[in-house]
Amino acid sequence: MYNLGIVTIVIIAANVIMSFKGFDDRLFFEKYKFNVGSIIRGEQIRMISSGFLHADTTHLLMNMITLYFFAGTVINQLGNFNFIIIYMASLVFGNLLSLYFHKEEYWYSAIGASGAVTGILYAAILLEPSMSLYMFFIPIPIPGYVFGIGYLLYSIYGIKNRVGNIGHDAHFGGAVGGYALTLLLMPSLFKTDLGHVGLLAIPIIILFVMYKTGKLR
């Protein structure tokens, strides 16, 4: 299957190995999870390592299935090396935004590849905005760009209202990373698909405006 290239296999394997190690070894899990206090004290490795840990097998499976379905689009159009750049940069972008929003909460912790995976998802949507996506509760296909915009608008709602035990800020930051890196690596999109580039930027602009006006604080 074209989605399951060697790079995708390696990333999935790394997530599985690290996550299962964390399931069995609580000290390992605590040492490498995202934790604001520990990162501020200098343990920056957590900015990366936390993205390969998961809460349980369901959490791991959800992220890896999403990665599997969208990795191929990014790899086919940008290549393996650029795929890795987007994946890792989105992971870091997601954790940076989370660190920024929670910088006063030294106890705040998080784990999961969601930021990196959301970056790949948003990159894939930017590359193929008209791709059809199906949701469990909607019986008709949704254009990729509509899903992407809706997902980030929901993430803004989740950030503002702290909905559920979910790192909405990491998801949003990851999407921004995927969006920015894809445009940097393929600037021709500004000429060939400026409309969708602009539409997918709307949630990013909204978050920025809400933060500047104090509506997220």
Side-chain angles (χ1 to χ4, degrees):
M1 295 182 184
Y2 82 99
N3 281 334
L4 207 57
I6 184 63
V7 173
T8 312
I9 292 172
V10 169
I11 289 177
I12 290 175
N15 273 277
V16 170
I17 292 168
M18 284 278 289
S19 293
F20 274 86
K21 172 67 173 173
F23 297 158
D24 294 333
D25 186 342
R26 195 66 192 179
L27 289 176
F28 178 87
F29 183 89
E30 293 295 327
K31 182 178 180 180
Y32 291 110
K33 71 180 183 180
F34 178 95
N35 175 263
V36 172
S38 298
I39 292 169
I40 290 175
R41 288 193 298 269
E43 297 178 27
Q44 279 80 21
I45 186 63
R46 293 172 182 262
M47 296 286 287
I48 302 294
S49 60
S50 61
F52 293 88
L53 295 171
H54 290 81
D56 50 41
T57 52
T58 300
H59 186 205
L60 173 63
L61 192 61
M62 291 283 288
N63 274 332
M64 295 304 100
I65 288 175
T66 303
L67 177 64
Y68 166 79
F69 279 115
F70 293 98
T73 299
V74 179
I75 291 171
N76 285 347
Q77 297 204 38
L78 296 178
N80 287 323
F81 182 72
N82 288 333
F83 170 81
I84 295 172
I85 289 176
I86 293 173
Y87 185 91
M88 296 304 297
S90 296
L91 170 58
V92 173
F93 265 74
N95 279 339
L96 281 173
L97 189 63
S98 187
L99 183 64
Y100 185 77
F101 278 135
H102 299 280
K103 58 182 178 292
E104 303 298 331
E105 304 167 36
Y106 297 128
W107 63 89
Y108 181 84
S109 298
I111 36 84
S114 299
V117 172
T118 305
I120 295 299
L121 167 64
Y122 220 67
I125 290 172
L126 186 58
L127 292 167
E128 291 188 15
S130 297
M131 67 167 65
S132 294
L133 300 178
Y134 287 86
M135 305 299 293
F136 291 115
F137 50 89
I138 301 177
I140 58 174
I142 303 171
Y145 72 94
V146 173
F147 173 83
I149 293 169
Y151 183 81
L152 288 198
L153 290 176
Y154 172 72
S155 293
I156 293 173
Y157 172 79
I159 292 170
K160 180 175 174 57
N161 296 284
R162 301 208 170 194
V163 176
N165 187 27
I166 299 171
H168 297 285
D169 36 31
H171 294 182
F172 197 99
V176 172
Y179 177 84
L181 265 294
T182 300
L183 289 175
L184 184 65
L185 294 167
M186 189 177 280
S188 60
L189 289 169
F190 284 111
K191 293 182 178 179
T192 61
D193 209 355
L194 183 59
H196 286 120
V197 169
L199 285 172
L200 289 166
I202 289 173
I204 300 171
I205 296 169
I206 290 174
L207 182 74
F208 179 78
V209 171
M210 287 182 68
Y211 179 77
K212 283 296 185 180
T213 57
K215 293 182 179 178
L216 284 179
R217 304 173 197 174

